[in-house]
Structure formats: structure tokens, C-alpha cells
């Protein structure tokens, strides 16, 4: 994971952290990640709003020429970012 806070965290890094934090294999963590992304994608494609507790809300907004995914950070995440915290409570 990025130490400086300015890098990009990749799928591989996310899956590795899921494996470490849950005690599951990297394969199981990768399968979990894939399923999560699939569920979120399907919801957005249906026009659903996707709420990820502690992170925020994903929605699809339609402009005149294209659709865009919008992310609204949760209050918890906004507060942590404002205060410079590196972890959520």
C-alpha cells in the first residue's frame, strides 16, 4: 500500500490487504474483490445508488451527452480527510 498517500493503490494491493486482514488466501480475497466489483457494477448499470458504509455513495448521473459515475464521500471520510487522519474511526 502507498505510504506517502499520493500513490495509486492497485487491485493486487487491495486483495493482498483483504487476505491479510481476514486471514483468507489471496485467491479467496481476489474472488471476494471480483464479486464486490461485479455487484457494484450491476447496481450502477441498473441505475441504483450504491452505498458503501464509511466510504460514501456511488450514483450514475446522466448529462446531455454521457453518463458519469459520481462519488459522494461519507461524513466520516470527509471529516477524516479534513483533519488529516490516516485512518477512519
Amino acid at each position: 500500500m502507498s505510504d506517502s498517500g499520493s500513490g495509486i493503490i492497485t487491485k493486487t494491493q487491495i486483495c493482498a490487504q483483504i487476505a491479510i486482514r481476514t486471514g483468507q488466501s489471496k485467491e479467496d480475497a481476489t474472488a471476494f474483490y471480483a464479486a464486490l466489483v461485479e455487484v457494484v457494477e450491476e447496481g450502477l448499470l441498473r441505475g441504483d445508488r450504491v452505498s458503501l458504509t464509511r466510504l460514501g455513495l456511488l450514483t450514475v448521473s446522466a448529462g446531455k451527452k454521457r453518463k458519469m459515475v459520481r462519488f459522494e464521500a461519507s461524513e466520516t471520510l470527509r471529516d477524516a480527510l479534513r483533519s488529516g487522519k490516516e485512518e477512519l474511526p
Side-chain angles (χ1 to χ4, degrees):
M1 303 282 278
S2 174
D3 291 329
S4 67
S6 62
I8 295 174
I9 299 173
T10 66
K11 172 189 167 190
T12 301
Q13 292 170 312
I14 291 169
C15 292
Q17 285 298 308
I18 291 170
I20 290 167
R21 295 172 189 213
T22 64
Q24 300 299 313
S25 69
K26 285 186 182 180
E27 293 79 17
D28 286 345
T30 301
F32 168 82
Y33 175 90
L36 175 64
V37 169
E38 187 175 296
V39 168
V40 170
E41 286 175 337
E42 289 171 358
L44 292 172
L45 289 170
R46 280 193 310 268
D48 295 340
R49 296 165 22 131
V50 178
S51 177
L52 300 171
T53 303
R54 293 181 53 181
L55 293 180
L57 182 67
L58 293 166
T59 57
V60 175
S61 60
K64 292 181 181 179
K65 295 184 179 182
R66 62 182 174 177
K67 291 184 178 181
M68 296 174 49
V69 175
R70 180 172 178 254
F71 174 73
E72 181 181 334
S74 70
E75 190 68 33
T76 303
L77 181 55
R78 285 194 305 265
D79 288 346
L81 291 169
R82 278 188 216 116
S83 67
K85 293 179 183 173
E86 294 187 13
E87 292 184 15
L88 293 176

